[in-house]
């Protein structure tokens, strides 16, 4: 997996309503578990839409990790995704994300690119920064 990332805070925009911009990308090889055959399209050994979405979200989590405070995490709350072209098992796919962090909201523009530069998918995504411990407490079964 190749990784790159950059963060910028134009003119101290964080906290000024404009947001902090964070960009990054990750390249991952399409594995058998990422293929459409896993989701009911028997024999279709290409990157599935659910895997594309999941790997894009994983890229967001990894790129955002350095800018979060201790005890914070992000959760996905919305997505618009266009899956435009196929990538086969074994091919490298690059997930590029441009995130704007404003308060607890994270707006994401993303592009998924195949090995020849073909845009495989693109869209927008929203994440929210939450307190990890408080979020996990809400998931715990009630006691008593």
């Amino acid at each position: 997996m190749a990784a790159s990332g950059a963060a910028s805070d134009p003119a101290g925009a964080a906290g000024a309503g404009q947001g902090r911009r964070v960009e990054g990308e990750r390249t991952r090889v399409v594995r058998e578990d990422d293929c459409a055959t896993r989701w009911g399209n028997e024999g279709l050994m290409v990157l599935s839409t659910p895997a594309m979405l999941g790997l894009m979200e994983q890229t967001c989590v990894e790129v955002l990790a350095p800018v979060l405070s201790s005890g914070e995490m992000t959760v996905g709350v919305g997505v618009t995704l266009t899956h435009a072209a196929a990538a086969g098992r074994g091919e490298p796919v690059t997930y590029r994300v441009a995130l704007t962090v404003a308060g607890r909201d994270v707006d994401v523009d993303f592009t998924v690119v195949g090995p020849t530069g073909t845009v495989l998918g693109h869209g927008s995504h929203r994440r929210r920064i939450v307190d990890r411990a408080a979020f996990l407490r809400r998931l715990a079964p009630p006691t008593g």
Side-chain angles (χ1 to χ4, degrees), residues 16 20 39-40 57 67 70 72 74 97 110 115 119 142:
R20 178 178 183 183
W39 298 95
E57 283 199 275
V67 302
S70 177
E72 289 182 331
T74 62
V97 296
F110 64 90
V119 173

Side-chain angles (χ1 to χ4, degrees), residues 4 6 11 17 26 44 47-48 56 61-62 79 85 112 115 128 134 138 142:
S4 70
R26 301 291 187 269
L44 192 55
L47 179 66
S48 70
M56 179 276 300
V61 168
E62 292 171 1
V79 67
V112 181
R128 182 135 315 116
R138 284 194 303 270

Side-chain angles (χ1 to χ4, degrees), residues 64-75:
L64 281 168
V67 302
L68 297 177
S69 296
S70 177
E72 289 182 331
M73 63 185 252
T74 62
V75 294

